[in-house]
């Protein structure tokens, strides 16, 4: 279990709120009998790799990738990504401090609990929770949409 100082928990919550993306998606696999597996993920992208190294250093989880240039005149972008096991420890800690991504995190925690019930089985058979997982996927996608038409307060 992660043992983080309050300042680190607050710092991570702010990083997730400002720069993070929480999602649940189907990763298509030809080696899976059902054709996909569920993947919960946190991703934070930034041109400053030091910030992402700090996230990884605090949590001792995730991976940093990227460094590629998206457009010729832009700086390289780096990504810190955390999947299931890291999220199971991280999200409950930061949840009380999240503002923008609070609902995303609540949904992802529920999805992680549903997936844990069928650990090792999700590659081969349809899960009894697939319908709920699909509902969570749709709601998180809706929350992640950008633009005026998707902002409830506009």
């Amino acid at each position: 279990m992660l043992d983080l100082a309050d300042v680190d928990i607050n710092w991570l919550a702010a990083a997730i709120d400002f720069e993070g993306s929480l999602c649940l998606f189907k990763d298509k696999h030809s080696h899976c009998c059902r054709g996909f597996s569920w993947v919960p993920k946190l991703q934070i992208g930034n041109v400053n790799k030091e910030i992402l190294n700090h996230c990884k250093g605090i949590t001792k989880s995730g991976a940093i990738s990227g460094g590629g240039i998206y457009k010729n005149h832009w700086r390289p972008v780096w990504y810190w990504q955390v999947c299931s096991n890291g999220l199971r420890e991280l999200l409950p800690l930061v949840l009380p401090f999240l503002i923008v991504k609070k609902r995303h995190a609540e949904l992802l925690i529920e999805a992680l609990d549903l997936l844990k019930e069928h650990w090792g089985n999700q590659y081969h058979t349809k899960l009894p929770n697939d319908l709920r997982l699909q509902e969570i996927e749709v709601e998180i996608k809706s929350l992640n949409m950008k633009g005026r038409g998707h902002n409830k307060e506009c």
Side-chain angles (χ1 to χ4, degrees):
M1 188 66 168
L2 285 174
D3 184 26
L4 302 178
D6 285 347
V7 68
D8 290 332
I9 295 169
N10 281 292
W11 191 91
L12 284 166
I16 292 167
D17 263 346
F18 297 145
E19 298 287 338
S21 173
L22 290 166
C23 60
L24 175 68
F25 62 94
K26 294 177 185 172
D27 191 15
K28 295 186 169 100
H29 297 281
S30 60
H31 65 275
C32 290
C33 293
R34 64 193 203 140
F36 71 92
S37 62
W38 290 105
V39 179
K41 184 163 68 170
L42 160 65
Q43 178 173 287
I44 296 178
N46 204 290
V47 296
N48 186 324
K49 192 176 179 185
E50 288 179 46
I51 290 172
L52 305 177
N53 284 333
H54 189 64
C55 292
K56 185 176 179 185
I58 290 171
T59 62
K60 309 283 190 272
S61 67
I64 296 174
S65 62
I69 297 174
Y70 178 67
K71 292 188 177 183
N72 287 339
H73 60 284
W74 289 9
R75 293 186 287 171
V77 178
W78 298 91
Y79 298 95
W80 175 56
Q81 298 179 35
V82 181
C83 291
S84 299
N85 289 334
L87 289 174
R88 283 188 178 95
E89 291 192 44
L90 178 61
L91 288 180
L93 293 176
V94 298
L95 182 65
F97 305 100
L98 291 172
I99 298 167
V100 178
K101 303 287 182 0
K102 188 176 205 83
R103 181 63 182 149
H104 303 66
E106 291 168 344
L107 289 165
L108 214 48
I109 289 169
E110 180 184 351
L112 287 161
D113 288 343
L114 293 173
L115 290 169
K116 193 170 187 177
E117 290 176 21
H118 303 283
W119 182 252
N121 216 11
Q122 71 161 327
Y123 292 102
H124 306 294
T125 60
K126 183 173 180 164
L127 298 179
N129 301 323
D130 270 347
L131 183 59
R132 179 61 188 143
L133 289 165
Q134 191 165 1
E135 292 169 352
I136 292 170
E137 175 192 32
V138 168
E139 186 173 346
I140 290 175
K141 277 183 181 177
S142 175
L143 290 168
N144 284 336
M145 290 181 148
K146 297 178 182 176
R148 286 177 111 171
H150 302 290
N151 189 340
K152 294 177 188 172
E153 296 178 11
C154 287

